[in-house]
Amino acid sequence: MSFVVPTQVDTTLNWDYEATDPRLMALYERAKSAQWKVSDVDWTVDVPFGEPLPDDSAFAMAAFADSPLAARGRPAWDDFRWEFQSWMVSQFLHGEQAALVVAARLVAAVPDLDSKFCAATQVVDEARHVEVFARYLREKIPEPYEVSPPLRELLTDILSDPRWDVTALGMQIMVEAIAMASFRLSNSSFHDPLIKNLTRLVARDEARHVTFGVLSLRGLYDQLTTAERAEREELVLDAASLIRQRFLLGDIWQRLEVDRAEGVSFAASHDLMIMYRQAVFSRVAAALGQIGLMTHRVRVGLDKLGLLRFAGERLRVREGR
């Protein structure tokens, strides 16, 4: 089923073929040497989806006792943990396809050749990520999830904006950084060695993509008018709100036949769920600081959304206050 996002994007050609940014060129060289093949992965690894799992951490087991699943008994927590993995990998796949499109767009739209080179290597990376997650879901997961409504709305916002820096901000800084942090947490949140290996491989690529976004956007927002900068701040806060909404896990509660409002309320308020959202958002906060968009307005807005674990001193230091 196709999903069309109408937009009009300018294409920039640059006739200056001399390298101008050694950091971008170094990133391009690393990307070329770090390629890997989906066919090199050992796909014979069994994924015992739905089978009983070892006890979670004491903190997680206490969360289960407070959750809407507690009355169903211990196996219900394992069901949730498997469904969470299925949901996460499904959303990875949908986000990676959008990242593939964004990277291709950036090749056309970014103004300098060094950035075009980096974006071109990202296109190859993202195609591989789509391939690897699609194969995992097709071969190992009985019932993958469709794109979650908040993610679909976020991707629509990112893809429909004609300005390359807004598209890069939304994808490279917001979506890609969330994905990278999620991949890094896979050892504690996923349950089979195959997906742990896949997320380890993909995380190496994503680290370069976030770095590319930071290098491309650093210094840019200092050159904008107050109104233009406020537009980017609004995009960050809107994207963060959708990311938070996405991690309230409405799709999973529905599949597990838990009252959606009760499940969402639990995810919104329980310390375990709050800490997970803060952990996956930490890389976004760092990247926003690096490109000069962790402004007072953004910091306050993110804090109100409960996405900053240390909203005070650490971020004031990053801002030089």
Side-chain angles (χ1 to χ4, degrees):
M1 180 173 62
S2 298
F3 175 54
V4 178
V5 180
T7 189
Q8 181 176 345
V9 180
D10 291 338
T11 296
T12 301
L13 297 176
N14 190 320
W15 309 124
D16 182 0
Y17 295 102
E18 295 296 324
T20 58
D21 191 330
R23 299 167 303 173
L24 285 172
M25 292 309 296
L27 192 65
Y28 173 55
E29 291 300 323
R30 290 206 303 272
K32 288 190 293 183
S33 63
Q35 297 300 306
W36 52 277
K37 297 179 182 179
V38 175
S39 58
D40 291 338
V41 173
D42 181 5
W43 290 97
T44 65
V45 175
D46 182 46
V47 177
F49 189 91
E51 292 190 4
L53 294 168
D55 276 352
D56 225 335
S57 67
F59 187 27
M61 296 310 297
F64 164 62
D66 295 335
S67 77
L69 296 166
R72 302 184 186 183
R74 172 67 173 75
W77 189 240
D78 290 347
D79 292 341
F80 172 83
R81 292 160 73 190
W82 279 116
E83 287 298 332
F84 179 76
Q85 177 171 314
S86 173
W87 180 83
M88 282 290 287
V89 179
S90 297
Q91 304 316 308
F92 289 159
L93 173 60
H94 305 315
E96 296 295 341
Q97 184 188 171
L100 170 63
V101 173
V102 165
R105 181 179 297 178
L106 290 177
V107 173
V110 290
D112 61 282
L113 205 59
D114 300 348
S115 293
K116 291 182 186 296
F117 287 167
C118 287
T121 61
Q122 185 175 338
V123 172
V124 177
D125 289 344
E126 304 297 5
R128 183 171 58 246
H129 300 171
V130 172
E131 181 185 357
V132 79
F133 287 134
R135 180 169 178 178
Y136 177 83
L137 290 169
R138 181 173 62 251
E139 296 184 3
K140 306 296 184 179
I141 301 299
E143 191 178 358
Y145 284 78
E146 295 182 356
V147 60
S148 68
L151 179 59
R152 179 169 173 157
E153 183 176 345
L154 175 57
L155 297 178
T156 301
D157 291 344
I158 293 169
L159 292 168
S160 61
D161 199 295
R163 296 165 294 184
W164 77 263
D165 79 282
V166 171
T167 302
L169 174 61
M171 180 56 68
Q172 307 291 100
I173 303 300
M174 304 298 292
V175 175
E176 294 277 69
I178 285 285
M180 188 180 76
S182 299
F183 298 149
R184 295 279 166 84
L185 289 170
S186 65
N187 274 337
S188 60
S189 56
F190 291 163
H191 313 298
D192 67 84
L194 177 57
I195 192 59
K196 291 180 181 182
N197 183 41
L198 296 181
T199 52
R200 178 185 60 82
L201 290 168
V202 173
R204 294 191 323 211
D205 297 339
E206 297 293 2
R208 293 195 305 273
H209 304 166
V210 175
T211 299
F212 171 43
V214 168
L215 292 176
S216 298
L217 297 173
R218 181 179 284 166
L220 178 64
Y221 297 121
D222 294 335
Q223 304 170 25
L224 300 183
T225 66
T226 300
E228 289 171 333
R229 190 181 179 92
E231 281 187 286
R232 275 64 173 183
E233 292 173 337
E234 192 68 27
L235 180 145
V236 167
L237 293 176
D238 288 346
S241 179
L242 289 169
I243 289 168
R244 178 187 179 276
Q245 184 181 343
R246 172 186 166 200
F247 280 101
L248 298 182
L249 310 179
D251 302 335
I252 299 177
W253 304 123
Q254 184 173 335
R255 179 169 293 184
L256 292 174
E257 297 182 341
V258 172
D259 179 80
R260 186 183 182 96
E262 186 179 2
V264 166
S265 176
F266 167 75
S269 59
H270 196 278
D271 285 347
L272 176 69
M273 300 294 182
I274 292 172
M275 289 178 66
Y276 184 85
R277 289 194 295 273
Q278 291 173 341
V280 297
F281 202 81
S282 61
R283 189 62 187 90
V284 177
L288 289 172
Q290 290 173 302
I291 64 173
L293 267 187
M294 186 57 80
T295 62
H296 177 74
R297 178 191 178 197
V298 168
R299 188 180 71 244
V300 169
L302 296 179
D303 193 27
K304 287 180 178 179
L305 290 169
L307 293 173
L308 298 180
R309 187 177 299 180
F310 306 110
E313 190 61 35
R314 178 165 60 88
L315 292 173
R316 282 197 292 274
V317 169
R318 278 192 187 142
E319 291 177 348
R321 296 187 176 188

